[in-house]
Amino acid sequence: MDIAMCMRHGCVKRAALKRPKTGHSMCKECFFWAFEEEIHHTITRYKLFAPGERVALGASGGKDSTVLIHVLKTLNDKYNYGIELLLLSIDEGISGYRDDSLETVKRNELQYGLPLKILSYNDVYGWTMDSIVEKIGKKSNCTFCGVFRRQALDKGAIELKADKLATGHNADDIAETILMNIMRGDTSRLQRCTDIITSSEGNLPRVKPFKYSYQKEIVLYAYYKRLDYFSTECRYAPDSYRGHVRNYLKDLERLDPSTVLNIVYSGESLVVDSRVKRPVQRSCVRCGYVSSQPVCHSCTLLEGLNKDLPRLVLGKHNSIVNKQLLESTPFVSTTSTSSGAHRESQCSCSTGQHIDF
């Protein structure tokens, strides 16, 4: 039987794996090199970082974020990006899941010598995901978690005085999001969900170094590098809408491995008709966070929880609730720094204390 050899030019080692992205047989060392160089190319091509920037890394303890930490630390040292890396973890309050994964993040803090900040839903919103699920059940709980997590990440990064927030979103994640937005008819999100740098006025720029990296290759990299990561799935995730889309994408990928990137490239090429009405980005009058409505989704969801009407803010009456909140809320003015980030705003969706933006 023929023994597969590494297909990288000049390498005479036996292949240890076949790359899901290209189908090439490679030894471990050449795979590491190719994986890291592709990410370096993405970083430099799209100018994701600038020397002197403080970059907060979304650290969950999972394989994506752990590989992100390892690769960015490696590339920063190798190519002298001149950036300062910081770890930021969000504790959603999911017992038996997040509490265990945070132990992995704490080990990563020591392994890579990077400072770590942990911000909890309970600190920011006065709720944990366990208490939210107890209140509303498992249906739609991912809506609360997704909205709260995004805002909590921004708040944590601002508290760290970071210039950018880097996340481990990969090509599979983006392909799933494109499909979800198509199925929901969400044209506003469809147009911007493929952006490798996302930023709105008053918000911290988010970057996705893994935009063109396959989930399977991230897993292979973590496995062969023997990285320390947490692999248990969130116990509320199997019932999520994204979970069904993910299974559909996996079925397509089995038929054609290039499907993932093909969807991403297609999403990049989509142009929404100018006659389609799109929401205008503004600042929430309650907390100052970017929103397409006068009161942001986070404040609306939180109001539903606090008034024991969580289902009301998820249904067709959402716009009515938003209007009622607007009428009962005094306008919150925000001032901007030269970087465009809010300097200070009164955040009613946390503890009522001033939060430095």
Side-chain angles (χ1 to χ4, degrees):
M1 187 173 96
D2 293 335
I3 298 175
M5 303 301 291
C6 179
M7 296 178 69
R8 183 184 175 192
H9 180 71
C11 183
V12 295
K13 293 182 180 179
R14 292 182 180 181
L17 57 92
K18 180 177 286 189
R19 289 194 68 184
K21 186 175 183 178
T22 63
H24 293 159
S25 298
M26 305 189 84
C27 66
K28 288 189 294 184
E29 291 75 15
C30 288
F31 168 67
F32 297 152
W33 172 85
F35 182 82
E36 292 168 2
E37 287 303 304
E38 287 176 4
I39 295 168
H40 172 63
H41 174 74
T42 298
I43 290 170
T44 53
R45 178 184 177 185
Y46 294 100
K47 298 180 174 60
L48 299 189
F49 308 120
E53 286 184 333
R54 289 168 60 88
V55 180
L57 308 181
S60 66
K63 52 188 174 301
D64 294 333
S65 67
T66 302
V67 172
L68 179 71
I69 296 167
H70 183 90
V71 170
L72 286 188
K73 177 77 165 57
T74 299
L75 295 178
N76 190 36
D77 294 342
K78 182 177 180 180
Y79 291 106
N80 193 26
Y81 293 158
I83 58 176
E84 182 180 357
L85 300 176
L86 316 160
L87 304 184
L88 173 61
S89 290
I90 304 301
D91 181 3
E92 302 94 339
I94 304 174
S95 59
Y97 169 67
R98 183 56 71 211
D99 45 358
D100 291 338
S101 70
L102 285 176
E103 293 303 313
T104 303
V105 176
K106 291 173 184 177
R107 292 196 298 271
N108 291 158
E109 176 189 14
L110 300 176
Q111 291 160 355
Y112 297 101
L114 301 175
L116 167 65
K117 178 179 181 60
I118 300 175
L119 191 64
S120 74
Y121 279 11
N122 195 45
D123 291 337
V124 179
Y125 307 110
W127 289 81
T128 66
M129 276 310 300
D130 283 345
S131 61
I132 291 173
V133 171
E134 184 179 349
K135 175 76 68 174
I136 69 169
K138 290 187 177 181
K139 187 176 181 180
S140 301
N141 64 83
C142 287
T143 298
F144 284 86
C145 193
V147 172
F148 287 169
R149 180 177 175 79
R150 181 175 182 83
Q151 192 173 102
L153 277 169
D154 278 347
K155 288 180 178 180
I158 290 169
E159 289 182 15
L160 284 171
K161 294 180 169 46
D163 299 294
K164 285 176 181 168
L165 173 63
T167 63
H169 289 95
N170 55 59
D172 297 60
D173 296 324
I174 296 170
E176 290 165 11
T177 303
I178 292 169
L179 292 175
M180 289 170 67
N181 288 332
I182 290 174
M183 293 174 183
R184 288 170 170 167
D186 195 335
T187 54
S188 61
R189 286 190 174 92
L190 181 60
Q191 192 166 31
R192 65 176 183 265
C193 70
T194 59
D195 293 343
I196 196 167
I197 302 177
T198 55
S199 179
S200 303
E201 184 179 352
N203 260 17
L204 204 69
R206 290 184 175 221
V207 298
K208 305 169 188 170
F210 288 174
K211 178 183 175 181
Y212 300 107
S213 302
Y214 273 37
Q215 174 76 62
K216 289 179 179 178
E217 297 206 347
I218 292 172
V219 173
L220 286 172
Y221 187 92
Y223 174 77
Y224 283 112
K225 279 284 187 179
R226 300 180 182 276
L227 300 185
D228 184 5
Y229 65 91
F230 184 75
S231 58
T232 302
E233 185 182 32
C234 172
R235 57 197 176 96
Y236 301 134
D239 298 318
S240 70
Y241 183 64
R242 181 178 287 273
H244 296 296
V245 175
R246 179 175 296 125
N247 291 333
Y248 173 62
L249 182 62
K250 287 179 179 178
D251 289 340
L252 294 176
E253 189 182 5
R254 274 191 285 270
L255 297 174
D256 180 4
S258 64
T259 296
V260 173
L261 277 183
N262 286 342
I263 293 174
V264 173
Y265 295 145
S266 296
E268 291 174 335
S269 302
L270 287 174
V271 178
V272 178
D273 194 307
S274 59
R275 292 171 295 181
V276 176
K277 187 176 180 181
R278 283 170 285 175
V280 178
Q281 296 292 329
R282 66 188 86 184
S283 295
C284 173
V285 298
R286 280 199 153 197
C287 68
Y289 193 72
V290 65
S291 173
S292 60
Q293 298 292 330
V295 180
C296 74
H297 202 179
S298 179
C299 286
T300 305
L301 292 174
L302 191 62
E303 187 78 2
L305 288 170
N306 291 336
K307 291 192 173 181
D308 204 23
L309 296 169
R311 287 289 173 194
L312 186 62
V313 297
L314 288 172
K316 60 183 179 180
H317 302 296
N318 181 275
S319 59
I320 299 175
V321 175
N322 196 282
K323 183 179 179 181
Q324 291 174 343
L325 287 175
L326 178 62
E327 292 173 347
S328 64
T329 305
F331 179 74
V332 178
S333 62
T334 56
T335 55
S336 298
T337 64
S338 58
S339 64
H342 290 140
R343 185 176 298 151
E344 183 178 69
S345 67
Q346 180 69 36
C347 183
S348 62
C349 62
S350 58
T351 57
Q353 299 175 336
H354 281 289
I355 295 178
D356 290 327
F357 282 70

